[in-house]
Amino acid sequence: MSNLLAIPFKKTYPVDVKESTRTYIYSNGGGHPDEFKDDINLWQSLRKEGVGGVVHVDRINTSLLYHAQLVSILTKLPPDIGLDIAYAPVFQPNAIPITLKNLVFERCGVLFNLASLYSQLAASEDRSTMDGIKRATANYQYSAGVFSFLRMLGIPRIAYSVDDEDVPRDLFDPFASSLNLLMLAQAQECSWQMAKLSVYGIEIARLQEAQLEAKKAYDIARRGRISSTVLQDIQSLLEVVQKNLSRAERDNDLIYHHDVPTFSALVPIAETNLVSSTVPAGLSEPTSIIGNGRLIFGELVGWGAKEAINIYNDRRQNLIKEKILDVSSQLQDTVDETLQLLHLPSALEALERPIGLPPSLLRKAEEVRLEDGPAKIEVSIEDVQRLAQQDHAILDEVGSTRRPKRSSDPYVSQAMDILDNEASEDEAARKYNNLNRLPSHEANIELIGKEKRYRNILAQAAASDETVRQKWDEWEQSIVELTWSEEDLEASVPSSTISSSAPTTAQGREAQTHARALRVQIEALDDLHKAREQLIRRTQALAAADNIRDRVMRVAAGFERLAEVKPAMFEDVSDEELAKYDKFLVEIGEIGQRQGGILSEIQRRNELFLQSRKDDPAVKEREYALQSLDLAYHKYREITRNLDEGFKVCAPFLSLSSIRYDVPAPITTTLLDTLPFAIDPELTVSVFLPPYV
């Protein structure tokens, strides 16, 4: 029986790679699953014998080949493709296996079992012969090398998810490091045995010299009358040397017949490493194992390349939205707010058209009339209020799902009653039992906090509901007027005479001059608006035709075979491709600068315009009426936008209605803890109003 140790295999279990792999390929593109049927079958076949479990020298190349193909697979697929991989703890083969959806876990399991195979082959060698000792030494060094490889390129790449209930402790670095050192120690033991068998002549010469030196020391100690304890130590050393010399001379005379050199002919003993970790060539160079053979999923687009394309598309989308679309919207909002504040262009239209209605106002009125604006707002307010009421009811029901079903209970709709009841029951139970758990009021802190946050959102929504209702009450009549016929609407707006603004007077001519200048600047704003829209269309057209897949594929093809392709390796490509949108960013910036100058000029001219016509009451009365109708249109748009946003806030709560309420569970796993909430808990936006309302 060997006095050296071997590492057992990590027990694994059969895996059906077909379903998970086909599902992943179908869902993530790169080809039809049927195109890779042979690859999937080859993977299944290699795994059967490549995961270890049989002690035979032929299984070394089998495991190395499977590992090399796993390296290839991981260049094409992400670690998690939904495939359950199970391995038992190495020293507990009958324990419940640890199961992870992780191909890197599979790779580490294969490496661990390859190291175990080398150690078991080493322990099974006959070390009474030189050849047996050599094979044992080499296999222990290979085992140490595989453990070292596992520590460097396997274990650090296992990414555990929060859903992993257990993790393999035998695949942590300290554990693998200890096994690596154990294998090196046993290889060194074999090397020492081999050295003893191969240098008997030299050993005898050194022992003879050691015997002479030990005798000299003994004679000096005996004549010098030193301590008896020291004398005994020297005598013991002399006896050990003499015993080993006798053994070496006997073995050499009977077995080895080596020549014994003189001590002066011996070279000095130098420091040397007897053994070192040896990584098998098939691990450090996996292509050497595969050779010209088939790579599993060699024709599949790698997940790193696909992810790089997805990242680029996301970056492009965010750039267009944040740097162009949002900026354009902000610029238009600035224009609208400035013109509304200055009562433009209605002030000009009141002067330019003393009777009748401006075309721009007629277009806005027609828009509200076609949408049946007042009725639309009323229906929307009712819909959002109904949703808010349903949200409250759903949250109440979720909070009371753990309550016993008692139809006569008048408080069943109270969301937190169940937590109160549970706290009372817990307090009562603690009077008679020593419970090994947190008190109810401590265990449920997070749940109570969630309930409060959710209710705060709905409370803010209720407050916003009232704000919108007040806004609608204030502007309802004006918005309703926009739905009148053109004749009725025109009749509601007073006409003006040219009187004091007549161009025949100095004051009238001055007002007309400033009005024309204002009209020119407002038309310039319209031109900038058209330029922004054209810029957006050009940007979106370029984005629609933008596809970097071919370029990414060319770059990926240039990487070394079996190289792990990561999305970060395509950063330069992504940056270069995004650079073609820089011209649009420059253009939108220039438009913003021009707009700022125009708005400043409008404000300056408007001051002069107001000064020139401040004494004309007829024009002011008409101007006020036109301003009110124009502002009513903007308030109509504002209210409908608020209601749309309110609906978006309320709607996600409805997903809670599908929760089953009759499933018993501990209070600490109440459904409040698993709400499929589609709203940021920090959200302060109300149901109806955007943040700026």
PDB file of all heavy atoms in Angstrom, residues 30 93 102 138 146-147 187 236 320 341 441 474 480 561 576 592 635 645 654:
ATOM      1  N   GLY A  30     -27.313  34.340 -33.861  1.00  0.00           N
ATOM      2  CA  GLY A  30     -26.059  33.723 -34.269  1.00  0.00           C
ATOM      3  C   GLY A  30     -26.253  32.531 -35.177  1.00  0.00           C
ATOM      4  O   GLY A  30     -25.287  31.954 -35.670  1.00  0.00           O
ATOM      5  N   PRO A  93     -18.566  12.515  -1.516  1.00  0.00           N
ATOM      6  CA  PRO A  93     -19.193  12.123  -2.789  1.00  0.00           C
ATOM      7  C   PRO A  93     -20.681  11.818  -2.672  1.00  0.00           C
ATOM      8  O   PRO A  93     -21.401  11.890  -3.672  1.00  0.00           O
ATOM      9  CB  PRO A  93     -18.407  10.864  -3.191  1.00  0.00           C
ATOM     10  CG  PRO A  93     -17.833  10.344  -1.902  1.00  0.00           C
ATOM     11  CD  PRO A  93     -17.547  11.548  -1.069  1.00  0.00           C
ATOM     12  N   ASN A 102     -23.369  27.520 -14.646  1.00  0.00           N
ATOM     13  CA  ASN A 102     -22.101  28.203 -14.890  1.00  0.00           C
ATOM     14  C   ASN A 102     -21.142  27.251 -15.606  1.00  0.00           C
ATOM     15  O   ASN A 102     -20.689  26.254 -15.035  1.00  0.00           O
ATOM     16  CB  ASN A 102     -21.506  28.657 -13.554  1.00  0.00           C
ATOM     17  CG  ASN A 102     -20.414  29.677 -13.735  1.00  0.00           C
ATOM     18  OD1 ASN A 102     -19.609  29.582 -14.663  1.00  0.00           O
ATOM     19  ND2 ASN A 102     -20.351  30.653 -12.846  1.00  0.00           N
ATOM     20  N   ALA A 138       6.772  12.594 -11.871  1.00  0.00           N
ATOM     21  CA  ALA A 138       6.220  13.405 -12.962  1.00  0.00           C
ATOM     22  C   ALA A 138       4.723  13.638 -12.773  1.00  0.00           C
ATOM     23  O   ALA A 138       4.225  14.762 -12.953  1.00  0.00           O
ATOM     24  CB  ALA A 138       6.481  12.712 -14.296  1.00  0.00           C
ATOM     25  N   VAL A 146      -1.610  21.327 -12.545  1.00  0.00           N
ATOM     26  CA  VAL A 146      -3.024  21.522 -12.871  1.00  0.00           C
ATOM     27  C   VAL A 146      -3.705  22.333 -11.769  1.00  0.00           C
ATOM     28  O   VAL A 146      -4.524  23.228 -12.049  1.00  0.00           O
ATOM     29  CB  VAL A 146      -3.733  20.170 -13.075  1.00  0.00           C
ATOM     30  CG1 VAL A 146      -5.228  20.392 -13.320  1.00  0.00           C
ATOM     31  CG2 VAL A 146      -3.125  19.412 -14.254  1.00  0.00           C
ATOM     32  N   PHE A 147      -3.378  22.026 -10.500  1.00  0.00           N
ATOM     33  CA  PHE A 147      -3.947  22.827  -9.414  1.00  0.00           C
ATOM     34  C   PHE A 147      -3.498  24.286  -9.514  1.00  0.00           C
ATOM     35  O   PHE A 147      -4.274  25.209  -9.246  1.00  0.00           O
ATOM     36  CB  PHE A 147      -3.556  22.245  -8.055  1.00  0.00           C
ATOM     37  CG  PHE A 147      -4.416  21.094  -7.617  1.00  0.00           C
ATOM     38  CD1 PHE A 147      -3.852  19.858  -7.311  1.00  0.00           C
ATOM     39  CD2 PHE A 147      -5.792  21.235  -7.495  1.00  0.00           C
ATOM     40  CE1 PHE A 147      -4.635  18.796  -6.905  1.00  0.00           C
ATOM     41  CE2 PHE A 147      -6.590  20.175  -7.094  1.00  0.00           C
ATOM     42  CZ  PHE A 147      -6.005  18.948  -6.795  1.00  0.00           C
ATOM     43  N   ALA A 187       5.823  14.942  -4.621  1.00  0.00           N
ATOM     44  CA  ALA A 187       6.772  14.825  -5.728  1.00  0.00           C
ATOM     45  C   ALA A 187       8.200  14.940  -5.210  1.00  0.00           C
ATOM     46  O   ALA A 187       9.117  14.242  -5.689  1.00  0.00           O
ATOM     47  CB  ALA A 187       6.494  15.922  -6.757  1.00  0.00           C
ATOM     48  N   SER A 236      26.100  10.393  19.524  1.00  0.00           N
ATOM     49  CA  SER A 236      24.909   9.937  18.797  1.00  0.00           C
ATOM     50  C   SER A 236      25.040  10.236  17.309  1.00  0.00           C
ATOM     51  O   SER A 236      24.674   9.404  16.459  1.00  0.00           O
ATOM     52  CB  SER A 236      23.659  10.622  19.362  1.00  0.00           C
ATOM     53  OG  SER A 236      23.459  10.271  20.708  1.00  0.00           O
ATOM     54  N   ILE A 320     -27.704  59.402 -29.005  1.00  0.00           N
ATOM     55  CA  ILE A 320     -28.706  60.120 -29.807  1.00  0.00           C
ATOM     56  C   ILE A 320     -29.789  60.707 -28.908  1.00  0.00           C
ATOM     57  O   ILE A 320     -30.201  61.859 -29.076  1.00  0.00           O
ATOM     58  CB  ILE A 320     -29.313  59.175 -30.864  1.00  0.00           C
ATOM     59  CG1 ILE A 320     -28.251  58.786 -31.900  1.00  0.00           C
ATOM     60  CG2 ILE A 320     -30.508  59.827 -31.550  1.00  0.00           C
ATOM     61  CD1 ILE A 320     -28.713  57.756 -32.899  1.00  0.00           C
ATOM     62  N   LEU A 341     -43.867  83.664 -22.005  1.00  0.00           N
ATOM     63  CA  LEU A 341     -43.622  84.706 -21.014  1.00  0.00           C
ATOM     64  C   LEU A 341     -43.742  86.101 -21.630  1.00  0.00           C
ATOM     65  O   LEU A 341     -44.224  87.042 -20.982  1.00  0.00           O
ATOM     66  CB  LEU A 341     -42.233  84.509 -20.403  1.00  0.00           C
ATOM     67  CG  LEU A 341     -41.830  85.454 -19.277  1.00  0.00           C
ATOM     68  CD1 LEU A 341     -42.740  85.252 -18.059  1.00  0.00           C
ATOM     69  CD2 LEU A 341     -40.373  85.231 -18.879  1.00  0.00           C
ATOM     70  N   HIS A 441     -40.779  42.823  15.422  1.00  0.00           N
ATOM     71  CA  HIS A 441     -40.611  44.228  15.045  1.00  0.00           C
ATOM     72  C   HIS A 441     -39.252  44.498  14.417  1.00  0.00           C
ATOM     73  O   HIS A 441     -39.077  45.470  13.695  1.00  0.00           O
ATOM     74  CB  HIS A 441     -40.818  45.129  16.264  1.00  0.00           C
ATOM     75  CG  HIS A 441     -39.742  44.992  17.317  1.00  0.00           C
ATOM     76  ND1 HIS A 441     -39.764  43.976  18.265  1.00  0.00           N
ATOM     77  CD2 HIS A 441     -38.626  45.714  17.545  1.00  0.00           C
ATOM     78  CE1 HIS A 441     -38.701  44.103  19.053  1.00  0.00           C
ATOM     79  NE2 HIS A 441     -37.995  45.136  18.634  1.00  0.00           N
ATOM     80  N   GLU A 474     -59.367  75.449 -13.507  1.00  0.00           N
ATOM     81  CA  GLU A 474     -58.974  76.817 -13.829  1.00  0.00           C
ATOM     82  C   GLU A 474     -59.033  77.087 -15.321  1.00  0.00           C
ATOM     83  O   GLU A 474     -59.430  78.180 -15.750  1.00  0.00           O
ATOM     84  CB  GLU A 474     -57.569  77.079 -13.291  1.00  0.00           C
ATOM     85  CG  GLU A 474     -57.048  78.476 -13.585  1.00  0.00           C
ATOM     86  CD  GLU A 474     -55.626  78.669 -13.084  1.00  0.00           C
ATOM     87  OE1 GLU A 474     -55.092  77.734 -12.432  1.00  0.00           O
ATOM     88  OE2 GLU A 474     -55.045  79.731 -13.343  1.00  0.00           O
ATOM     89  N   VAL A 480     -62.345  74.717 -23.461  1.00  0.00           N
ATOM     90  CA  VAL A 480     -63.623  74.448 -24.141  1.00  0.00           C
ATOM     91  C   VAL A 480     -63.840  75.440 -25.277  1.00  0.00           C
ATOM     92  O   VAL A 480     -64.332  75.095 -26.360  1.00  0.00           O
ATOM     93  CB  VAL A 480     -64.787  74.500 -23.136  1.00  0.00           C
ATOM     94  CG1 VAL A 480     -66.135  74.501 -23.869  1.00  0.00           C
ATOM     95  CG2 VAL A 480     -64.708  73.305 -22.188  1.00  0.00           C
ATOM     96  N   ARG A 561      -6.585  31.931 -32.051  1.00  0.00           N
ATOM     97  CA  ARG A 561      -7.539  30.834 -31.929  1.00  0.00           C
ATOM     98  C   ARG A 561      -7.727  30.448 -30.462  1.00  0.00           C
ATOM     99  O   ARG A 561      -6.762  30.326 -29.709  1.00  0.00           O
ATOM    100  CB  ARG A 561      -7.014  29.628 -32.718  1.00  0.00           C
ATOM    101  CG  ARG A 561      -8.077  28.560 -32.972  1.00  0.00           C
ATOM    102  CD  ARG A 561      -7.453  27.397 -33.713  1.00  0.00           C
ATOM    103  NE  ARG A 561      -8.442  26.424 -34.140  1.00  0.00           N
ATOM    104  CZ  ARG A 561      -8.176  25.134 -34.342  1.00  0.00           C
ATOM    105  NH1 ARG A 561      -6.952  24.688 -34.164  1.00  0.00           N
ATOM    106  NH2 ARG A 561      -9.120  24.308 -34.745  1.00  0.00           N
ATOM    107  N   GLU A 576     -14.559  54.465 -32.537  1.00  0.00           N
ATOM    108  CA  GLU A 576     -14.377  54.962 -33.903  1.00  0.00           C
ATOM    109  C   GLU A 576     -15.718  55.056 -34.638  1.00  0.00           C
ATOM    110  O   GLU A 576     -15.958  56.003 -35.397  1.00  0.00           O
ATOM    111  CB  GLU A 576     -13.420  54.048 -34.667  1.00  0.00           C
ATOM    112  CG  GLU A 576     -11.983  54.111 -34.159  1.00  0.00           C
ATOM    113  CD  GLU A 576     -11.097  53.065 -34.808  1.00  0.00           C
ATOM    114  OE1 GLU A 576     -11.589  52.378 -35.744  1.00  0.00           O
ATOM    115  OE2 GLU A 576      -9.938  52.916 -34.395  1.00  0.00           O
ATOM    116  N   GLY A 592     -27.972  75.598 -30.785  1.00  0.00           N
ATOM    117  CA  GLY A 592     -28.248  76.123 -29.459  1.00  0.00           C
ATOM    118  C   GLY A 592     -27.658  77.508 -29.252  1.00  0.00           C
ATOM    119  O   GLY A 592     -28.305  78.388 -28.658  1.00  0.00           O
ATOM    120  N   LYS A 635     -51.797  74.853 -21.994  1.00  0.00           N
ATOM    121  CA  LYS A 635     -52.239  74.184 -20.782  1.00  0.00           C
ATOM    122  C   LYS A 635     -52.932  72.864 -21.105  1.00  0.00           C
ATOM    123  O   LYS A 635     -52.814  71.878 -20.368  1.00  0.00           O
ATOM    124  CB  LYS A 635     -53.194  75.096 -20.004  1.00  0.00           C
ATOM    125  CG  LYS A 635     -52.497  76.274 -19.340  1.00  0.00           C
ATOM    126  CD  LYS A 635     -51.491  75.809 -18.298  1.00  0.00           C
ATOM    127  CE  LYS A 635     -50.806  76.980 -17.622  1.00  0.00           C
ATOM    128  NZ  LYS A 635     -49.812  76.534 -16.607  1.00  0.00           N
ATOM    129  N   GLU A 645     -48.381  60.655 -18.126  1.00  0.00           N
ATOM    130  CA  GLU A 645     -47.332  60.248 -17.196  1.00  0.00           C
ATOM    131  C   GLU A 645     -47.927  59.598 -15.954  1.00  0.00           C
ATOM    132  O   GLU A 645     -47.367  58.641 -15.412  1.00  0.00           O
ATOM    133  CB  GLU A 645     -46.488  61.459 -16.814  1.00  0.00           C
ATOM    134  CG  GLU A 645     -45.665  61.999 -17.979  1.00  0.00           C
ATOM    135  CD  GLU A 645     -45.010  63.330 -17.654  1.00  0.00           C
ATOM    136  OE1 GLU A 645     -45.299  63.869 -16.562  1.00  0.00           O
ATOM    137  OE2 GLU A 645     -44.225  63.819 -18.483  1.00  0.00           O
ATOM    138  N   LEU A 654     -50.683  47.260 -11.364  1.00  0.00           N
ATOM    139  CA  LEU A 654     -51.688  46.265 -11.725  1.00  0.00           C
ATOM    140  C   LEU A 654     -51.091  44.878 -11.840  1.00  0.00           C
ATOM    141  O   LEU A 654     -51.807  43.883 -11.763  1.00  0.00           O
ATOM    142  CB  LEU A 654     -52.366  46.661 -13.044  1.00  0.00           C
ATOM    143  CG  LEU A 654     -53.160  47.978 -13.003  1.00  0.00           C
ATOM    144  CD1 LEU A 654     -53.789  48.240 -14.354  1.00  0.00           C
ATOM    145  CD2 LEU A 654     -54.216  47.941 -11.912  1.00  0.00           C
TER     146      LEU A 654
END
